[in-house]
Structures are given as structure tokens and as C-alpha cells.
């Protein structure tokens, strides 16, 4: 039953987000006792696959286009309102390379809002249950599932950007426990000093997106997209 409710929510949320950088849900159907979603087909692959196949060469224009696209789609989701125009407070909570689809048209689209949090949702996440990929979770997301807002997605975007630019994850440890400890406490080197050593102009962007103080992060995904565009 929990999985079915999550499936229905995943269909409900993207169906109300009308943006070229979000994969829309076309329909939801059933076959005997099976429910399924019909999504717009994206010819291409995930950003995760692209990064895995391009470990030693990461062309900056391509990386920036993909992440800027995803941030604009994310912003559209964050700004979603109800029929009365009241903000729904949607948070993706699982922004990661696996959930960014890159089409052969070069455009990036965000998928998988199934674990997103809406403050006024009909069902509620069970207390103490964390959802998402640990390596991309913000500190407050790990510490308390109740205290999350759109800035956890901006932390994740900073991690994805850092990883994509350098070829190295800034905080991943040898196991989940070590990764959690790193996220909560460990400092990370500027991307310009790590791995593929991208230009230093990205150092401050990653630092701001991945600040452990939420108030020091970008206020919106669009603000971060504009910084990358500049």
C-alpha cells in the first residue's frame, strides 16, 4: 500500500509541473493488480551514465548546460502552487545524476519525484525513515527528515556539480557510515585542486551550494543556475 501511494503521488506531482526540463507524466493506468506510470519517452541516457563513460574527459560546456537545465526544472518544481496559488513547498530530496535524463537533443530533464516532500501532501513519510541517496544528502536531511526545504536540493546540486567537474565525489567514504560522518563534519577541498582540476571560478559556487549553514546556500535553484550561466 505504501508503494502504491508513492506511485500515485509520483504521477500527481510532475503532472502539475509544466517545464521543458521536467519529464512529464502522461498517464497512470492499471493492468489486473498492477499499477503503472506512462512517462514521456526521453531518447538518451542518465547523467550518471554519461559521467561513468567519460571519467577522464569532462567538457565544461556540456556539463554546465546539463546542470543549468536541471536547476531550472528543479526551480519550476520548487515553485509549484496549489489551485489557490499557495506554495506547496515541494522538495525533490533525491536530486542525483541517476535522476537527470539527458536527451539526444542535449536537454536535461529531472525525473523521479516519487520521494518528494510536499508540506500539504495527503500521505506522510514515516517518522525516522530517510529517503534518497546518502551520498547526495544534505546534513540536515540526514539529521532530521522533518527539517528539509528546497535548500537540500541545492546542496545535492553542489555535490553533483563538484563530482561532474572533478571526477571525484567530495564527501563519499568507504561505506555509508563514513559518508554520513563526512557529510556532517568533513571539509572538502576546492574543486580546482581535485581530480580534473576545473577552473577556479567554480570553487565559490560549489562552496556556496554545499555550505552546512542553509542560510549561506543559494536561496533558489534559479539563483544557482544564473551563477553557473554567468
Amino acid at each position: 500500500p505504501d508503494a502504491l501511494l508513492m506511485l500515485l503521488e509520483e504521477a500527481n506531482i510532475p503532472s502539475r509541473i509544466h517545464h521543458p526540463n521536467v519529464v512529464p507524466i502522461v498517464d497512470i493506468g492499471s493492468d489486473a493488480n498492477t499499477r503503472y506510470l506512462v512517462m514521456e519517452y526521453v531518447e538518451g541516457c542518465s547523467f550518471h551514465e554519461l559521467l561513468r563513460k567519460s571519467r577522464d574527459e569532462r567538457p565544461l560546456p556540456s556539463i554546465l548546460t546539463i546542470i543549468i537545465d536541471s536547476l531550472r526544472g528543479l526551480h519550476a518544481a520548487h515553485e509549484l502552487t496549489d489551485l489557490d496559488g499557495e506554495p506547496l513547498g515541494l522538495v525533490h530530496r533525491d536530486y542525483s545524476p541517476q535522476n537527470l535524463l539527458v536527451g539526444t537533443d542535449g536537454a536535461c530533464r529531472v525525473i523521479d519525484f516519487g520521494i518528494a516532500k510536499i508540506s500539504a501532501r495527503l500521505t506522510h513519510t514515516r517518522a525516522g525513515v530517510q529517503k534518497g541517496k546518502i551520498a547526495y544528502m544534505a546534513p540536515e536531511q540526514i539529521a532530521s527528515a522533518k527539517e528539509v526545504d528546497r535548500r537540500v536540493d541545492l546542496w545535492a546540486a553542489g555535490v553533483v556539480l563538484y563530482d561532474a567537474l572533478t571526477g571525484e565525489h567530495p564527501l563519499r567514504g568507504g561505506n555509508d557510515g563514513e559518508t554520513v560522518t563526512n557529510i556532517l563534519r568533513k571539509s572538502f577541498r576546492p574543486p580546482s585542486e581535485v581530480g580534473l582540476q576545473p577552473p577556479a571560478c567554480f570553487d565559490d559556487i560549489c562552496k556556496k551550494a554545499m555550505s552546512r549553514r542553509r542560510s549561506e546556500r543559494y536561496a533558489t535553484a534559479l539563483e544557482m543556475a544564473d551563477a553557473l550561466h554567468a
Side-chain angles (χ1 to χ4, degrees), residues 168-184:
E168 297 183 17
H169 191 287
L171 296 169
R172 180 181 277 121
N175 53 56
D176 286 350
E178 186 178 347
T179 299
V180 166
T181 299
N182 291 346
I183 291 171
L184 295 176

Side-chain angles (χ1 to χ4, degrees), residues 13-227:
I13 297 169
S15 68
R16 292 187 287 166
I17 305 170
H18 304 289
H19 193 277
N21 299 121
V22 176
V23 176
I25 298 293
V26 178
D27 194 12
I28 183 168
S30 61
D31 180 14
N33 294 323
T34 300
R35 296 269 188 162
Y36 59 85
L37 301 181
V38 182
M39 303 169 68
E40 181 182 85
Y41 177 68
V42 178
E43 184 177 1
C45 65
S46 70
F47 191 33
H48 172 73
E49 292 176 87
L50 287 179
L51 294 175
R52 187 181 60 188
K53 294 178 180 179
S54 305
R55 298 183 186 277
D56 300 322
E57 186 177 357
R58 302 279 176 89
L60 286 176
S62 298
I63 288 174
L64 296 181
T65 297
I66 289 168
I67 294 183
I68 288 171
D69 278 357
S70 72
L71 286 168
R72 288 174 175 165
L74 201 58
H75 182 71
H78 288 162
E79 293 292 302
L80 191 65
T81 62
D82 62 19
L83 296 178
D84 295 323
E86 293 297 320
L88 285 174
L90 189 150
V91 183
H92 190 287
R93 294 205 294 181
D94 196 19
Y95 178 100
S96 61
Q98 291 88 340
N99 287 331
L100 306 180
L101 293 186
V102 183
T104 54
D105 59 358
C108 178
R109 300 162 178 84
V110 185
I111 63 168
D112 193 3
F113 285 86
I115 67 169
K117 172 197 172 186
I118 293 185
S119 56
R121 69 194 303 179
L122 296 177
T123 62
H124 301 276
T125 301
R126 289 177 177 173
V129 176
Q130 292 178 338
K131 297 186 178 183
K133 299 175 183 67
I134 290 177
Y136 299 95
M137 284 185 178
E140 68 271 20
Q141 194 175 0
I142 289 175
S144 174
K146 295 180 180 179
E147 298 180 7
V148 299
D149 58 27
R150 68 173 67 188
R151 289 172 291 185
V152 303
D153 292 338
L154 301 184
W155 167 285
V159 176
V160 171
L161 175 64
Y162 189 110
D163 193 356
L165 291 174
T166 66
E168 297 183 17
H169 191 287
L171 296 169
R172 180 181 277 121
N175 53 56
D176 286 350
E178 186 178 347
T179 299
V180 166
T181 299
N182 291 346
I183 291 171
L184 295 176
R185 300 193 181 107
K186 184 180 177 181
S187 59
F188 55 88
R189 295 165 60 195
S192 61
E193 299 177 5
V194 176
L196 300 176
Q197 298 183 327
C201 60
F202 298 108
D203 290 353
D204 286 343
I205 294 178
C206 288
K207 181 180 179 181
K208 185 175 179 69
M210 295 175 62
S211 172
R212 288 189 174 86
R213 292 187 178 182
R214 287 185 289 179
S215 60
E216 295 179 358
R217 293 179 207 158
Y218 292 101
T220 67
L222 187 59
E223 182 184 358
M224 183 174 174
D226 289 344

